[in-house]
Amino acid sequence: MERPETQLISLADIRAAADRIKAGGVARAAPTEGGGVRSGAGNVLRTPLLSLPVPRLDGPLWLKAENLQPVGAFKIRGATNALALLDADARAAGVVTHSSGNHGRALAYAARAAKVRCIVVVPDGAPKVKTDAMRALGAELVVVDPADRLATARRVADERGLALIPPFDDARVIAGQGTIGLEILEDLPAVDTVLVPVGGGGLASGVATAVKELDPGTRVIGVEPELAADAAESLDAGERVVWPPERTERTIADGVRVGLSDLTFAHLRARLDGILTVTEQEIRAAMGTIAREAHVVAEPSGAVATAAALSGRAPSGCTVAVVSGGNVAPALLAETILPEQADHR
């Protein structure tokens, strides 16, 4: 019998999360070739599938544009679901998390809407564009060494009586992220492969659960940078392998520098069809291609799945790449839009 901390979530958990998110008011969007979006009231957007019109010999490529969420990343789904499941006393006390940016911003956004106090433990060196956004939403930031973020978040939770909502090591969060998988299959039932960025593994765990339970024949493949390939090594080894922060911080993709938890590793080992790695140059090139051809912004972490598709290493057929976020410093984005600059990185 599995230990409680490694109990896998189910499709029913994801459907319940989808209902919870909708109950809070969901903006709707239609997936079209042109990427048109019909926006409405609500914290979470049903994001469109955007066609990426680049030459491909092995099938069409679509982007699941989670970078269009109100906070610029998919994290709003898991944060919203987890916050909705807190009881009244826990909400009154407030919440705490640890994050390099996107989850902290998402939780701060959801907490502000619910009038809940929010504290985010941030690793030193997190992108200013992300920390500024968290502060703008009213979050209190505690900056620590990257290796101390989880321990500090737990200590703050204990000392201040706050509810801890981790960025990925949480069934409530994983179920919320899994709603992306539901939407992909609803909007494109003929998809052959779904490519998903992997950092802590919450997104890939949720999406793989939804997709594989709805259509076992659809492949779900994780993607991570070569410079932060702890998930690939873990799956190859059959056990969780931890890379130290000084090793993963080499990648430009700051949102996927964290490693798997026991919970997410259990999900990926059971439900992921494989994992690919991409180079720093491929990540930068994908950011530029997404900006020029799809006319949307992807941060480095958000571009890793597309990078795998554009590299030619992904399986053939109709493919969806999850663009997990678009919170990037303007100067970095400008570097990637001009291909001659990206090619020399």
Side-chain angles (χ1 to χ4, degrees):
M1 180 176 179
E2 288 185 307
R3 294 178 299 169
E5 64 267 25
T6 56
Q7 184 67 46
L8 305 189
I9 68 163
S10 68
L11 180 61
D13 295 322
I14 296 173
R15 290 195 187 280
D19 290 341
R20 228 170 267 121
I21 289 170
K22 289 177 183 177
V26 181
R28 294 289 182 176
T32 64
E33 289 280 349
V37 176
R38 298 192 303 272
S39 62
N43 291 334
V44 181
L45 176 72
R46 183 188 175 100
T47 54
L49 291 177
L50 308 179
S51 175
L52 190 62
V54 294
R56 280 175 58 87
L57 299 177
D58 56 0
L61 174 60
W62 295 82
L63 307 180
K64 179 60 171 168
E66 286 296 296
N67 51 336
L68 298 180
Q69 291 291 356
V71 296
F74 75 97
K75 295 284 192 177
I76 188 64
R77 296 174 182 266
T80 298
N81 187 53
L83 193 60
L85 285 168
L86 294 180
D87 61 33
D89 289 342
R91 288 194 192 187
V95 295
V96 62
T97 192
H98 61 94
S99 170
S100 65
N102 284 340
H103 176 69
R105 183 176 181 179
L107 187 60
Y109 182 91
R112 186 178 68 169
K115 295 182 170 56
V116 171
R117 180 188 184 194
C118 180
I119 297 175
V120 184
V121 177
V122 177
D124 186 32
K128 188 174 184 296
V129 65
K130 295 184 178 181
T131 56
D132 285 350
M134 286 186 274
R135 288 191 176 97
L137 288 167
E140 175 188 341
L141 269 56
V142 178
V143 181
V144 300
D145 185 270
D148 297 332
R149 50 188 278 178
L150 175 56
T152 302
R154 287 172 172 167
R155 176 176 56 78
V156 170
D158 290 340
E159 292 176 353
R160 305 195 194 185
L162 306 176
L164 177 62
I165 298 181
F168 53 86
D169 188 26
D170 188 289
R172 302 164 300 178
V173 171
I174 293 172
Q177 321 305 25
T179 59
I180 293 171
L182 295 182
E183 293 177 11
I184 290 172
L185 287 187
E186 287 171 1
D187 294 341
L188 192 63
V191 62
D192 295 304
T193 303
V194 178
L195 300 173
V196 192
V198 177
L203 173 61
S205 294
V207 171
T209 298
V211 172
K212 299 305 286 189
E213 290 203 24
L214 285 169
D215 184 359
T218 299
R219 293 179 292 261
V220 183
I221 297 176
V223 185
E224 60 185 348
E226 287 183 354
L227 297 182
D230 54 289
E233 185 175 340
S234 296
L235 292 175
D236 284 343
E239 61 182 7
R240 190 166 67 91
V241 177
V242 178
W243 285 24
E246 59 268 23
R247 189 175 181 187
T248 60
E249 68 185 7
R250 298 172 302 161
T251 179
I252 191 177
D254 62 279
V256 294
R257 289 172 180 163
V258 294
L260 304 176
S261 68
D262 287 340
L263 179 62
T264 56
F265 174 68
H267 279 82
L268 300 191
R269 182 174 57 180
R271 293 171 176 166
L272 208 62
D273 289 298
I275 195 159
L276 298 170
T277 60
V278 292
T279 68
E280 299 297 291
Q281 181 179 342
E282 288 169 338
I283 294 170
R284 287 176 175 269
M287 290 173 65
T289 298
I290 292 168
R292 292 190 305 272
E293 305 298 338
H295 312 296
V296 292
V297 173
E299 63 186 90
S301 304
V304 296
T306 306
L310 297 177
S311 75
R313 291 192 293 276
S316 62
C318 181
T319 301
V320 171
V322 178
V323 180
S324 57
N327 296 316
V328 58
L332 175 57
L333 177 64
E335 289 179 12
T336 67
I337 291 177
L338 296 176
E340 63 272 16
Q341 293 185 20
D343 288 345
H344 287 85
R345 290 286 173 179

